[in-house]
Each structure stands twice: as C-alpha cells, then as structure tokens.
Amino acid sequence: MTSLFEEETTLFADLILPVPIPSLFTYRVPREMSELIKIGARVIVQFGQKRVLTAAVAQIHTTPPAKYQAKYILELLDEQPIITTRQLELFNWIAEYYLCNIGEVLNVALPAGLKITSQSRIQFNPEFDYYDLLTDLEHVVLDEIKKHQTLSYEEIERLVQKSNITSLIKSLVGKRAVILFEEVKEKYKPKVAKKVRLTTAYLSNDSLVQLTSSLDKVPKQQEIIMRYLSHIPVYNNPDLNQKGLDKSIFSQDDGLSDSALQTLIKKGVFEQFEIFISRFDDIPVGKPAEIVLTDSQKNASKQIYDLFSEKEVVLLHGITGSGKTEVYIELIKQVLESGSQVLFLLPEIALTTQIVVRLRKVFDDVMGIYHSKFSDNERVEVWKGILDGKFQFVVGVRSSVFLPFDNLGLIIVDEEHETSYKQHDPAPRYNARDVAVMMAYMHKGKVLLGSATPSLESYFHAKNGRYGLVEMKERFGNAALPTFELIDTKKEKKSKKMKNEFSSVLIEHLEFNLKNKEQTILFQNRRGYSPYLQCEECNWISECANCDVSLTYHMRVGELRCHYCGHKEEVPRTCPNCGSPKVKTMGYGTEKIEEELTLMFPSARVQRMDLDTTRAKNAYQQIIQEFEEGGIDILVGTQMVSKGLDFDNVSIVGIFDADRMIHFPEFRASERAFQMLTQVSGRAGRRANRPGKVLIQTANPGQKLLERVVTGDYTGMYEAELPEREKFHYPPYTRLIKITVKHLDSTVSKRAAEILTAKLTANLGTGRVLGPQPPLVERVRNQFLFDILIKLEREKINFKAAKSFIQEKVIDVLTDKTLKSIHIVIDVDCI
C-alpha cells in the first residue's frame, strides 16, 4: 500500500506532433491519466497559442524538459494504443532515410478520421450589457447565438448571408459581446444501422394473435406488424427477433406509414436499437472462385517458396497475361493459413477495382481494402479492423504501408516498377516498394515484387543475387502474345491518309472491330483536349500566370487549366495579345481523341478514362464494369488503362504519340517508354481463341526501342541501358538525391542554390554534385525553382553519413539571415 506521505511520481510524455518540426515535444501527464496512458495512444494537446492537435505518444518517462515548461496533455483519446511499436520504429526509419521530420510521417500515416479537428465557435458573453452599442445586424446575430447557446463561423455566415464575416466577429469580440472558443471534434464516426424489434411481451404466439386482433381498427399499424413478421417469423423461432429489422425497410415501402411505426414504438410494441456495421459490406463477393494452377504457375509458386528460405525479397518477372495473380493468391492462402498477415500493394486505384472483386471471391471478409478514394471513415474502419484482428489481409495503394500490422508474413508489390509507388508531395517523399522491404525486415516477413517489366534496379538486384528471381515466360491458358504493327505517321501524312490524329491503318482496324463487336483500347498519355492554344497571327500561346507552362484546353468544361497549380481561365474568344479570332488548338489529348471518335463513328459507344473522368469515388469501378460487360466499344485513356487490367474481349490496342515518351529528356526515358508500351500492349488478346493486335503510331518505326517492344525483349533493353547508366553514374550504380530550392524571387532562389551547391561540393566533390539548374518547368505557383542533383555510389560511400551532411548544409542555408523565405525540398531516391 502506498504511504499517504509518499511523493507521487510525475510522468512526462514525448509526443509526435503532426507538424514539420525535427524533434519530439514533451508534455506533462495529468495524474488521472498516469495509469491509463500508453505508448502509441493518441492524445490532444495545445500547440502554440491557439492550435489544438492530435499527437501520438512516443515515450513515457519522469524527466521534465530542460528548456521549457511542459504543458499538460488535454485529453487521452485511446484506452489501447492505435499505433504499434513496430509502426513507430518504421516511422522513425522513414524520417531518417527520407530526410524529413517524424511529424510529417505521422501526418501522412494517420487517416484523417483518426485526427481531431478544432473548430472555432462563438458564444454569448454573460457579462455583456451594452446593447445600445450594437448595430442592427449585430443584434440579430447575438439573439441567434443566445437562442442556440453557440454558433460556428459557417452557421453565422449562413445567417447573415455573407461569405466573409471576419469584421463582424471582430466587432462583437471588441465590444465584449461574445467569447470565442475551440470545440474539439473527432472526425471518425462508425456507420450505424437503425433497427427495430418486438419487445419481449409480444414474442409468444398468443400475444401476437391478441396484438394483431387489437389493431383491426388501425390497419396501418397492423400492416407494420405483418411486414415485420414476414421478414422475421418469430412465431417459428423467437430467437430470430434478436437481430431485428432495418427501419429503412419500412420507409422504402410507400404503402407503409412511418407515423404508424413510431406509434407502435411509443406503445412499447417495438423497441428501437442501433448496431455498428461495416462500410465494406456492399463490395460484391460472388461465388467462391476455385483456382486451379497451371504447371507453369505451380512451378513459379514452388520456386518462390523455395527462394524465400534463403532470400528476403523475390522478384517475379512474368510477361503480361502470364497469370501472376493466381500465383499471388496461392501464396496469400499459404501465409494466412500459417496465422500471419498479408499486405498486397497495387500502384493505382484503377487496378484495385478489378483485382478486389477477384480476391474477395477467394478471401471474403478477412480482406480489407485501403485507398485514397475511400472516405475517412472507411479508412479508419480498415485501420481498426487490423488492430482488432478482423482483417488479416489488406489490398491497398502506397499509403497502406502505414497500417498497424503486428505479424506481417508477406508483402506483395504488384507492378513494382510503377512510379505511382513514389510520393512526391508532401513529405515524406517515400517509395512504398522500398518501405515494404524495410517493413518486411522489421516483421521478419518476406517480399514478393511482381512485374512484366521490372524496374532496372530490381532486375539488377535479382541478377546480382541480392533478390531471388523467378520468371514466367508463357501466357496463361495458351493465349498468344499480341502481334504488332508500327505505323509510319510521316508516310501517312505525306500520302494524306491521316485523318487528324488517326492513321488510315488505325481507322481500318477500328471499323473492323466495331463490325465484329470486339473492343478496342486507345492509349494517349496526355489528358485534356489540347496541350495549349495558339494564335495563328502573332503566335501567342496560352500560359499559366503562376507557372512557366502552357495551359491545357479542356473542351467539356470550356476551360484552360494548369496541371501544375490548378489555375483555371475561361477560353478566350479572340487572341488576348493581338485580338485576332484565329486562335486554334495545338496537339491532342484524350478528350480530343474521344470527340474525334464520336464524329467518325457516331454509333460507337466511346468512353474516356483519365483523371478528369475518374474523380468520383466509384468512377473507376463504373467504367471498368461497363467495359467488362460490353457496354463500351472503345475505351480511350491515359496510363490508367495500361496497368494490370484484364479484359477478354479486347482485340485491338492503339497507341498514339509513342515518340514523345521515348525521347522525353530524362535518363529513365527508354526504360519508362518500354514499360509503358509493353504494359498497354499487354491488354490485347488475353483469351486463347482471340489473338490481339497492337498498333503503334510513330514517325520513326526503325527505332531500336520499338523493335524491342515488338519482340518483347526486356533483357535486350536492360543490357543496352546498363552500360549507359554505369558510364554516367545513374541507378542502379548510384543513389540519387534531388534538392529543389524555391523562392518567389528568381535571383534569391538561384543565389541560395549556388551557396548550397558550393557547401555540398566542398565535401562531396564536383563529380557527385550536379547543378544548380532550372528544371523543365522553371516556375510553379509563382516560385522559381533550381535543382541540385547528388549522385552517391552504392558501394563506395557511407549513405547515412552523406545524408546527415546534406541535411546539415541544407539547415545552414535555411538559417542564413540573408536568404529569407527560402524553401528547400529534399527528395531521396528521386525518380
């Protein structure tokens, strides 16, 4: 027993705050929380004068901070931790590796539904008594506040019908008529179903007979009873009553009265109750799919399993349509049966639509889905479902690496070469594929990387023994690889056979497919109608006011848009520079191709799939489902149509503007072009009895890279690229770190970049530090950019020490008083 005179220990907690600061903040733990607080729990704290933040407990100790007086934690949100110790370990590694702050990691990791928001509200000051000082409008507002006790800013805006009420609130505060306070709210709300059931007094047959007889004069109430009994036959089994019936069943029927139901509840015939339900119950399950592996798939599965005994990471290099998904399913089953968890990473939300339906048929409700198109509440349900043991298997996009797994046995990274796995903004600028490798190491699990066109780095590691390598070189079910035809657009234009962007060969094949009721995919990796507008008289070009880039014309909404900052303008009727009406569209995007198809083939059902048409939550699913069911003849899309989609009836794939991809000014251009062209080509002819054809429009059919795409020669591309990469010190022989310096003044930005370059070169040498130089787009959001590229050899340099040195020099520049308002972005392993 503790002595009455024994001094009670004061606890302090080091907290991770979701803000870009380099260190943890120490807060004092109130006595009533001392026995409840745990590492990994969320707490609410005040940060600064007014901000209220959700923080995570990283450490608990008894040492007060030396340099400041610790504030008290305001509230403890969790009885049990919602962040595991392994997650905290991973967050620390990400912050250290990608040169960012752990608070930035927490901010990205936690779904918004697990963060507390503070909202300013206004209440009446009971000491106020100077009503003659108020204006008529202030009288109205104050009366409304008194009536409701408190109002939010938004409620007052609606009341006075003004969008800016700052001066009004400032006046009321100045006259001491009102008091402002912060109302703290938790964003996550469980999904609730309202139900009704018979009270226990009416569960016997006799009581039910008496009840229905007594309601002869009120037929509407009697109808409610009869409808309930038709769904829940309690006279056969009273236990069925326990689960009750959704209230919505009564409201959906126009013949039933809602007031009659409410009367029966008031009489005590029915009782009303609520249950929490999953937000994922509406995802189709279908019949359990029986998967029979081919000999090739069995062999691949066995090889992977054997390699896992000696390698932490295995690369599965399987051509498009080889049946990698079935191999994944077999491995997932084995891991789940062993009691471990599985994470299946996909690069795009578009991919989850098809594959989730296939996986759900096999794994049913042990599988969770996690991606950015889901609401905050849906993502919180997956997070909590993993903690509660409901979801042992999760399919998701890159942010899924932050989920609270505690026993991860396998991570599958499908289409591992995809750039979508890399986060660009905000920090942390992580690559989910590489984080997955570290996660598996921490969990003592394994990683399977899968792709038809692996990244050069992964294939290099596999060839050099760091990763295991398994190859699948045949298509599933004896389906043949598509045939290719390279269409010379120069010749087509010379002979005047081109119709806008369409060659005569492509038009001919489109006509054939429409006639034979087969489907076509057309690929153009540029959205919008036209990349820019240009005046024929003075050569004026539509440009963004904030960025050094042209504005893209979007015809459907009648706007010019910047794809960098989101700036929008109306389409000018005449040239803003010279007044000429001769303003024309230049180049073409998916929207223009869609329009031209509808003009050429009026009866064809044409659909576009790009960022503009898939912003809504279920837009991907609807388009893909419609295409699968044959409701679309021609699907026009950006790179979304290239990734892992599987359609039986697609016999033609047409590719526009291949040359732009091949000759893009970037060291990975050849690799990326090969991957993109191969992946989109793989959508054709995926059924054994229906060979596909790929038509590539190019001004130079003799290019070596196109020859390799046509022959499926990945090894040839890899072997051609490696000597170039080694000669010029690029990955896989080096690691790249890109530093971008930003400022509203070009001169200041350039000077800061030059100072930083000099500091870095002094230690790293001129051979490792390139720049500074402006990027392709020199100005974004009115900030002028300068890039510094650092190349660090994999084997010859201490990467951790080099990063610490880089971070130190960046801080030197940021704290230089002669360089105010400089912003510096560090991107480790930039792509």
Side-chain angles (χ1 to χ4, degrees), residues 16-73:
I16 306 170
L17 299 174
V19 289
I21 49 176
S23 55
L24 303 181
F25 267 72
T26 304
Y27 281 76
R28 189 169 178 175
V29 180
R31 285 183 182 177
E32 62 271 19
M33 289 183 200
S34 293
E35 293 184 8
L36 302 172
I37 195 165
K38 294 181 177 71
I39 290 171
R42 293 171 303 153
V43 294
I44 296 178
V45 295
Q46 185 178 343
F47 183 66
Q49 290 297 311
K50 293 183 178 179
R51 293 178 75 184
V52 174
L53 298 175
T54 307
V57 180
Q59 294 173 30
I60 301 169
H61 54 82
T62 57
T63 309
K67 295 182 180 178
Y68 56 90
Q69 187 171 353
K71 293 179 182 177
Y72 276 102
I73 291 171

Side-chain angles (χ1 to χ4, degrees), residues 593-629:
I593 291 171
E594 179 190 26
E595 184 201 46
E596 289 179 0
L597 284 166
T598 55
L599 293 173
M600 285 191 289
F601 308 108
S603 60
R605 297 164 298 175
V606 181
Q607 177 64 54
R608 179 162 49 98
M609 190 163 89
D610 56 24
L611 186 63
D612 297 320
T613 61
T614 56
R615 293 184 190 277
K617 177 182 172 183
N618 294 315
Y620 289 105
Q621 191 171 335
Q622 288 163 2
I623 293 170
I624 288 167
Q625 187 175 341
E626 193 178 354
F627 195 62
E628 277 183 322
E629 292 170 354

Side-chain angles (χ1 to χ4, degrees), residues 90-280:
L90 183 68
F91 294 176
N92 276 303
W93 179 84
I94 290 172
E96 183 273 321
Y97 186 85
Y98 290 102
L99 298 181
C100 64
N101 302 305
I102 193 167
E104 293 172 308
V105 181
L106 180 71
N107 197 37
V108 169
L110 276 186
L114 287 176
K115 297 171 192 171
I116 298 297
T117 60
S118 64
Q119 182 187 47
S120 293
R121 293 188 72 86
I122 299 100
Q123 70 178 40
F124 174 66
N125 182 355
E127 296 179 6
F128 179 72
D129 198 25
Y130 302 99
Y131 289 91
D132 54 333
L133 297 176
L134 301 180
T135 66
D136 290 344
L137 182 61
E138 288 170 347
H139 266 292
V140 171
V141 171
L142 202 63
D143 287 344
E144 198 70 15
I145 291 171
K146 288 162 81 174
K147 189 195 298 183
H148 296 281
Q149 295 186 323
T150 73
L151 289 178
S152 69
Y153 271 69
E154 291 78 10
E155 287 164 340
I156 294 175
E157 282 173 356
R158 287 196 293 272
L159 173 68
V160 301
Q161 296 184 342
K162 289 183 180 178
S163 58
N164 190 344
I165 57 165
T166 307
S167 57
L168 173 64
I169 301 300
K170 190 176 179 182
S171 174
L172 286 169
V173 170
K175 293 170 184 176
R176 302 196 176 185
V178 297
I179 299 168
L180 297 184
F181 71 99
E182 291 290 308
E183 181 186 53
V184 177
K185 287 183 174 182
E186 186 160 11
K187 289 183 179 178
Y188 171 66
K189 290 181 181 176
K191 189 174 182 180
V192 170
K194 292 183 177 180
K195 306 188 95 173
V196 293
R197 61 189 168 210
L198 288 168
T199 53
T200 52
Y202 296 97
L203 289 182
S204 69
N205 287 350
D206 291 343
S207 60
L208 279 172
V209 170
Q210 288 175 13
L211 173 64
T212 50
S213 300
S214 69
L215 297 175
D216 284 342
K217 293 182 180 179
V218 273
K220 288 187 177 180
Q221 292 179 31
Q222 196 174 58
E223 281 177 38
I224 295 282
I225 297 291
M226 300 312 292
R227 178 59 56 89
Y228 181 84
L229 294 174
S230 70
H231 285 277
I232 312 287
V234 295
Y235 42 80
N236 291 332
N237 184 356
D239 292 340
L240 294 174
N241 185 63
Q242 189 63 27
K243 68 175 185 178
L245 193 62
D246 283 358
K247 280 186 76 178
S248 59
I249 287 174
F250 300 104
S251 59
Q252 286 166 6
D253 191 327
D254 294 336
L256 297 176
S257 165
D258 187 56
S259 61
L261 176 61
Q262 293 303 323
T263 303
L264 289 169
I265 292 170
K266 284 178 185 175
K267 285 181 177 179
V269 175
F270 282 115
E271 62 181 357
Q272 193 170 240
F273 65 103
E274 293 180 346
I275 61 165
F276 294 147
I277 59 171
S278 170
R279 287 182 162 85
F280 302 103

Side-chain angles (χ1 to χ4, degrees), residues 298-396:
K298 285 177 185 174
N299 185 42
S301 185
K302 184 180 185 306
Q303 284 184 63
I304 292 165
Y305 198 78
D306 291 345
L307 281 167
F308 275 152
S309 64
E310 54 186 87
K311 303 286 183 186
E312 304 305 312
V313 182
V314 172
L315 173 64
L316 175 59
H317 179 201
I319 64 169
T320 58
S322 58
K324 294 186 289 294
T325 304
E326 286 73 18
V327 175
Y328 297 154
I329 289 170
E330 181 62 27
L331 292 166
I332 293 165
K333 281 181 177 177
Q334 291 177 22
V335 175
L336 292 177
E337 284 169 7
S338 74
S340 296
Q341 297 164 316
V342 178
L343 172 61
F344 190 150
L345 287 174
L346 295 163
E348 285 274 2
I349 298 160
L351 267 177
T352 65
T353 303
Q354 262 197 331
I355 209 161
V356 158
V357 173
R358 290 178 69 185
L359 294 172
R360 193 75 192 262
K361 287 177 182 176
V362 180
F363 299 103
D364 201 3
D365 55 3
V366 301
M367 184 184 89
I369 307 138
Y370 196 80
H371 63 59
S372 59
K373 288 284 180 180
F374 277 3
S375 68
D376 292 339
N377 287 327
E378 286 168 325
R379 279 182 277 174
V380 172
E381 282 199 12
V382 175
W383 187 289
K384 292 193 170 184
I386 293 168
L387 287 172
D388 297 340
K390 179 182 177 183
F391 299 129
Q392 291 295 103
F393 168 37
V394 174
V395 180

